[in-house]
Structures are given as C-alpha cells and as structure tokens.
Amino acid sequence: MPEMIIHTQKTQEMIDITSQVGEAVRRSGVQTGLCLVYVPHATAAIVINENADPNVCQDILDALGRMVPEGAWRHDRVDHNAAAHIKATILGPGETIPVRGGGLRLGTWQSVMLVEFDGPRDRTVIVEVR
Ligand code: ZN
C-alpha cells in the first residue's frame, strides 16, 4: 500500500495511523529495513509519540497553539492559515521508522500519528518500505 487517504474530522487533531502503517509493512514482506511515513501537504504533519493517554496529543496541540498564535502572520492575508503552516513546519512532514522482524520497531509508548492543522480535509499518507 504505497498511499492511503485519511479523512480528518476537525480543524486540528492527531489521528493514530500505527495499525495502517504496520499493515503496509507486513504486506511489503520486508523483514529488516526502513519505513518512511510522509504527508505531501503543507498544513499537516507526521509525528511519533504517545497515544495511550490521549491527553498527550491534546497537550501537544495546546503547546503548539501557545507557541504559534492565530492571525498574526503575513500569509494570513492570503488564506488565513499561516499558523497551520508554521506548526506543520515545526513538526515536519514525515518520520522514518526501523523495520525489524517484519514489523515496526516502535517503543512501547510510541504511536505513529497524522497531525491535522487545517482540517477537515482528505489527507494522503505515503508509506514506503524498503
Ligand atoms: Zn496557506
């Protein structure tokens, strides 16, 4: 599965895509290698962090909101989403995860998450396993 579409529901949210990415790794047949997870978008990001306590995700969104106020930027004159661009830039569009034993080598508390900053939208997630 080289690409998947995720339908986001909110203006800002973090969506756990660990199971879909893990399934892509299993289907690739790669036992030892690397898994790249990447979003081809300017106002979304990929992060690896904890989702066992969903408050962690809300805390991350709140912290970014405090760092990057809305409506204070030049690009807001164009389409009013400069804060979303800045937050997406801070987090980055992708992560690379080691593949071991045919699966993702994540830590116990790590999940792979799509971060939406300008939703709701349909977001493409590219998964490359080599
Ligand atoms: Zn924009």
Side-chain angles (χ1 to χ4, degrees):
M1 178 182 47
E3 296 190 5
M4 60 179 126
I5 306 295
I6 304 289
H7 310 285
T8 66
Q9 309 291 326
K10 301 176 186 173
T11 306
Q12 292 193 95
E13 63 180 318
M14 295 177 72
I15 298 174
D16 193 325
I17 58 171
T18 309
S19 62
Q20 295 99 312
V21 176
E23 181 59 28
V25 171
R26 279 185 289 281
R27 272 193 255 164
S28 76
V30 172
Q31 291 299 302
T32 303
L34 293 172
C35 174
L36 169 74
V37 185
Y38 174 83
V39 282
H41 301 292
T43 54
I46 297 291
V47 297
I48 297 172
N49 212 286
E50 176 177 335
N51 189 31
D53 176 3
N55 282 328
V56 173
C57 292
Q58 196 56 54
D59 285 342
I60 292 166
L61 293 175
D62 288 351
L64 288 166
R66 288 178 204 171
M67 286 191 293
V68 186
E70 298 278 341
W73 312 99
R74 293 171 190 82
H75 180 67
D76 288 320
R77 289 178 229 145
V78 178
D79 64 359
H80 307 287
N81 68 352
H85 287 283
I86 295 166
K87 292 173 193 174
T89 302
I90 291 169
L91 298 184
E95 294 283 358
T96 305
I97 306 152
V99 174
R100 297 287 184 270
L104 293 169
R105 177 58 180 94
L106 290 169
T108 303
W109 301 105
Q110 287 183 315
S111 295
V112 184
M113 280 171 288
L114 166 67
V115 190
E116 173 65 79
F117 288 115
D118 195 25
R121 292 180 188 228
D122 287 349
R123 297 298 196 176
T124 300
V125 178
I126 296 171
V127 180
E128 285 284 340
V129 188
R130 299 291 164 90

